[in-house]
Amino acid sequence: MKYLFIFFLLISGFLQSQRRSSDKINIEGIVLDGFGSPIKKAILYKDSVKTFVQTNKKGSFKTKVSNQTKTLSIYSAKHGMATLFYNGEERVEFVFPKEHIVLTERQLEDLGFNTTAYRKGTIDPSRFEDNADIYQLIREMFTGIVVNGSDIVVRGKGSFGDTTPLFLVDDSFVQSISFINPAEVKSIQLLKGEDATLYGSRGANGVFLIYLKK
């Protein structure tokens, strides 16, 4: 009985660590210069990869990060780059020294930073796993759609009746895509309008073509 109890404890700990590994953390940040003044339009880098997150006129920003994130960096064209090791904090602060080194994006690349930020529809596949679920990934990838929980509506389609798009996973029709782990996704494509006529009336609400890694 004692060993059975220990076994359940180990399994519980493993499952909790698995859940934590996919959690997203909401964080707030502040960026200041060496005199304590806010720095606006500073760009956030996550694990040396550029994002579209920028500080406002108060020098603050909000974003979500994976708890697997190791470093956060802030780049300012006037102040250079500041980096800190991330340990799951919900609030972070960057303070540039009074004497700072100005860096160009080319120099950042030489230091190992990826200065290309991926917009909707062009997310680097290596970053798919950063999304908590398949619905968040689709929300980040495509414009012109509404994602509410597990419900997806392609804008511009009729608002009456069933508005559920068609889902094909590895060329097979599926009723739900909830089972898909973003890390297993190889590519996603959205067909609508004339591009979806191949699927007849079933494709009138849009067609998602999803291919998984083999």
Side-chain angles (χ1 to χ4, degrees), residues 7-192:
F7 172 76
F8 280 119
L9 283 179
L10 291 173
I11 291 296
S12 176
F14 173 76
L15 292 176
Q16 289 179 7
S17 66
Q18 289 295 99
R19 285 195 292 269
R20 285 195 297 269
S21 67
S22 61
D23 285 344
K24 288 286 184 177
I25 303 172
N26 292 308
I27 67 170
E28 296 182 6
I30 184 74
V31 182
L32 307 172
D33 64 17
F35 299 94
S37 298
I39 298 175
K40 64 180 180 179
K41 295 185 178 180
I43 301 170
L44 178 68
Y45 280 67
K46 299 176 184 178
D47 287 332
S48 301
V49 178
K50 185 178 182 179
T51 73
F52 286 104
V53 178
Q54 291 191 18
T55 56
N56 58 25
K57 62 182 180 180
K58 295 182 179 180
S60 63
F61 66 88
K62 294 181 180 180
T63 188
K64 290 183 179 181
V65 299
S66 164
N67 64 3
Q68 301 300 304
T69 300
K70 303 300 182 183
T71 62
L72 295 176
S73 303
I74 282 289
Y75 172 69
S76 166
K78 294 182 179 180
H79 297 83
M81 176 70 79
T83 298
L84 57 79
F85 290 103
Y86 182 67
N87 295 305
E89 300 91 345
E90 295 182 354
R91 182 172 178 79
V92 294
E93 180 177 287
F94 295 87
V95 180
F96 283 87
K98 293 180 181 179
E99 296 183 3
H100 50 264
I101 300 175
V102 177
L103 298 170
T104 64
E105 286 199 339
R106 177 61 181 273
Q107 290 173 315
L108 291 182
E109 292 175 355
D110 292 339
L111 292 173
F113 288 89
N114 184 341
T115 60
T116 300
Y118 292 89
R119 293 187 180 276
K120 286 181 179 291
T122 59
I123 296 178
D124 183 348
S126 67
R127 310 298 297 185
F128 283 178
E129 62 185 24
D130 290 348
N131 294 275
D133 54 43
I134 187 65
Y135 300 104
Q136 181 183 359
L137 175 57
I138 289 175
R139 184 189 303 113
E140 292 296 321
M141 285 195 68
F142 301 101
T143 59
I145 65 170
V146 176
V147 181
N148 183 13
S150 61
D151 295 326
I152 300 175
V153 176
V154 178
R155 288 175 180 166
K157 304 304 173 186
S159 58
F160 300 98
D162 185 9
T163 57
T164 304
L166 199 62
F167 300 106
L168 278 79
V169 178
D170 291 334
D171 297 321
S172 297
F173 295 105
V174 297
Q175 295 296 321
S176 171
I177 57 173
S178 298
F179 68 93
I180 298 177
N181 182 338
E184 299 174 346
V185 176
K186 180 180 180 181
S187 66
I188 304 180
Q189 183 180 4
L190 171 60
L191 304 180
K192 53 185 179 179

